[in-house]
Amino acid sequence: MFIASALGILAAFFFFGIWSSGKVSSSSEYSVASRKATAGGVSGIILGSLVGGSSTVGTVQMAYHYGLSAWWFTLGGGIGCLIMGLWFVKPLRATELITLPQFLGRHFGQGSAVLSAVATALGSFIALIAQFLAGTALLGSVFPFPAWVSAVFMAVLILAFAYGGGIKSFSRLGKVKIIFLYGVMILCVGAAFLSGQTPSVLVRSLPADPFFNIFARGVARDLGAFTSLLCGVLCGQIYIQAVYAASSDATARKGCLWTSMITPPLGLLGVWIGLALRNSGVAVEASQALPFFIRTYFHPLAAGLLWSGIMITVLGTSVGITFGVATNLTRDMYLKTKRAAGYDDAKILFASRITVLGTVIVAGLIALAAGKSMILQWAYLGMGIKGAGIIIPLIAAVFLPGRLPSGWSFLSGTCGLAGVFLGAAFFKGMDPLLPGLALSGLVALAGFVAGKRRPGFPER
């Protein structure tokens, strides 16, 4: 009954997303929905990528270990969308582009464009590994397959939806997914409440430290995680694609603001579920905490439906991240090579789809090698890498156009990435993003002092 219910919901969801999107006939339709997305469509694209395995399986996993500290992911993502909607939409949409590196290249030249493409593609790719870990954990909780079989099945599901309708089907998936997901998480919290795991009981029964300490993993590490989400949302290709896909500035802004209100409460629901399972005395592999809760607290028919909701969430986010990585690799790297010179639209669309295939295969292989590591750690690292290499030049381009010379912008981004890797190597108690941001900011400050406004650069 459980498996029949789960597979039935998954099949219905895929048919809805693919058939409702229609046939994709151009690379623009595939990448930015022909720039006709509504506010709901923009929000669907962002939610489809942001709210996934890290926000659900990963949050419950970390809450089972650390409690309230697991909220930083969805809290940071929500505030990042708020900042995007209030201050970044208009300057980003001032020119009809598709990728963030194109935007930065217009301000700072080809060097900064390539660097930002590398940073955002690498960061998003690492986030895709987190989704693979969540997806294989979910599949492993139901099907007694070896890990490699679960990874292959996960890859096939991602590719089926990615090839079905591009960003249009993904937008529809995001909107339906978030409604479904809220229902799943609220039902799980309701089951915890009815079983006696109320907030007051949890507060009385569990130690305040670590479970109700928002900085349970350390102030530097948790603030760094929060900052990683802020920067990662502002610098994430799929979120920029959502802004570019909107039919107008007002529509893009409204979509971002809707997302900022929807995302943080989901994290609190996940924290409650993780704490409830911890307080029940059950010892379980942390990555299996959410699927274990669903299978334990619900009838098999209902449990299959709820499990499929979480699986859809993970798949949706995987598809969104895959689109982001493939768009960067195709538009900002491959199409600028001599081999791709003169490509028509059909060849660009084909290249995008081949890149999607390669991205999914490599991410699946790395996830297999990573084993049962903490899902949110991969998600934070991916967001941090994007932020360290991009956020300071991006802020300069948006708020101080023409003030930061191209060479200093490139150096700032390079030093930001170097700072992340140095931080990971030498500052074990701190999120590596923080030294990366500090180094990038200092270099940019030196560039502002040393540089002069470039003649003829348009004001905003």
Side-chain angles (χ1 to χ4, degrees):
M1 290 179 67
F2 177 95
I3 293 174
S5 173
L7 293 181
I9 295 296
L10 281 174
F13 196 79
F14 272 92
F15 282 123
F16 168 79
I18 293 172
W19 284 2
S20 66
S21 65
K23 184 179 179 180
V24 173
S25 57
S26 71
S27 62
S28 173
E29 193 175 7
Y30 188 74
S31 298
V32 290
S34 298
R35 305 187 193 275
K36 296 179 181 178
T38 63
V42 172
S43 182
I45 294 169
I46 298 173
L47 288 168
S49 179
L50 182 60
V51 178
S54 299
S55 306
T56 53
V57 180
T59 295
V60 175
Q61 177 191 35
M62 186 167 281
Y64 183 79
H65 273 295
Y66 297 105
L68 191 58
S69 176
W71 192 31
W72 286 115
F73 187 90
T74 53
L75 180 61
I79 295 176
C81 291
L82 177 65
I83 294 172
M84 174 82 83
L86 291 178
W87 293 295
F88 282 76
V89 163
K90 186 175 180 179
L92 285 173
R93 288 179 52 85
T95 56
E96 289 194 352
L97 302 174
I98 292 178
T99 70
L100 183 59
Q102 288 173 348
F103 177 80
L104 292 176
R106 178 177 179 273
H107 284 262
F108 301 118
Q110 187 60 25
S112 290
V114 172
L115 179 65
S116 62
V118 170
T120 193
L122 178 59
S124 297
F125 180 77
I126 290 173
L128 180 59
I129 295 170
Q131 301 308 311
F132 257 97
L133 291 172
T136 53
L138 279 168
L139 291 169
S141 70
V142 176
F143 304 103
F145 296 148
W148 71 268
V149 176
S150 294
V152 170
F153 190 35
M154 177 79 176
V156 169
L157 291 174
I158 294 171
L159 292 170
F161 210 97
Y163 287 152
I167 203 74
K168 287 204 305 181
S169 65
F170 179 64
S171 172
R172 288 171 172 82
L173 182 151
K175 287 184 286 186
V176 176
K177 184 188 81 172
I178 200 67
I179 296 171
F180 196 1
L181 178 60
Y182 251 104
V184 170
M185 299 299 278
I186 289 171
L187 286 172
C188 288
V189 164
F193 186 90
L194 293 175
S195 69
Q197 302 291 353
T198 65
S200 59
V201 168
L202 295 175
V203 170
R204 289 197 306 268
S205 304
L206 293 171
D209 192 14
F211 295 110
F212 297 98
N213 178 5
I214 193 72
F215 298 111
R217 300 187 309 140
V219 174
R221 178 168 292 174
D222 281 323
L223 280 181
F226 173 71
T227 307
S228 293
L229 263 296
L230 288 181
C231 297
V233 167
L234 296 174
C235 300
Q237 174 57 37
I238 189 62
Y239 314 121
I240 301 299
Q241 264 174 277
V243 169
Y244 284 141
S247 58
S248 68
D249 291 1
T251 298
R253 181 176 294 107
K254 188 182 296 185
C256 291
L257 296 182
W258 283 358
T259 309
S260 72
M261 293 185 287
I262 292 170
T263 306
L266 276 173
L268 286 178
L269 296 178
V271 169
W272 189 342
I273 296 166
L275 289 176
L277 195 60
R278 167 65 73 175
N279 195 47
S280 69
V282 172
V284 63
E285 171 64 41
S287 65
Q288 299 287 333
L290 182 55
F292 178 87
F293 184 96
I294 290 172
R295 299 200 69 176
T296 301
Y297 281 78
F298 293 93
H299 182 275
L301 191 63
L305 186 149
L306 299 179
W307 179 91
S308 68
I310 303 298
M311 190 67 203
I312 287 165
T313 298
V314 175
L315 288 172
T317 300
S318 301
V319 172
I321 294 172
T322 302
F323 276 140
V325 174
T327 301
N328 282 134
L329 294 177
T330 304
R331 297 272 178 175
D332 299 310
M333 296 183 189
Y334 181 68
L335 293 183
K336 295 186 182 301
T337 64
K338 292 182 179 179
R339 179 182 178 85
Y343 268 20
D344 59 17
D345 195 73
K347 288 185 177 180
I348 293 174
L349 180 59
F350 179 75
S352 297
R353 287 173 164 166
I354 289 296
T355 307
V356 164
L357 175 63
T359 299
V360 170
I361 290 174
V362 177
L365 291 173
I366 295 176
L368 276 175
K372 297 180 179 179
S373 54
M374 191 73 72
I375 295 167
L376 280 186
Q377 288 295 99
W378 285 89
Y380 287 141
L381 177 61
M383 291 289 191
I385 287 175
K386 284 188 288 187
I390 298 174
I391 191 63
I392 299 299
L394 176 62
I395 290 173
V398 169
F399 296 108
L400 297 168
R403 301 293 180 87
L404 183 64
S406 300
W408 286 97
S409 168
F410 180 81
L411 186 60
S412 173
T414 303
C415 289
L417 288 175
V420 168
F421 293 112
L422 289 173
F426 298 107
F427 300 101
K428 298 299 183 182
M430 178 185 298
D431 190 291
L433 171 65
L434 296 180
L437 283 182
L439 192 54
S440 179
L442 287 173
V443 172
L445 181 60
F448 282 125
V449 172
K452 298 178 180 179
R453 177 180 296 276
R454 286 182 287 170
F457 197 92
E459 296 286 352
R460 291 194 183 279

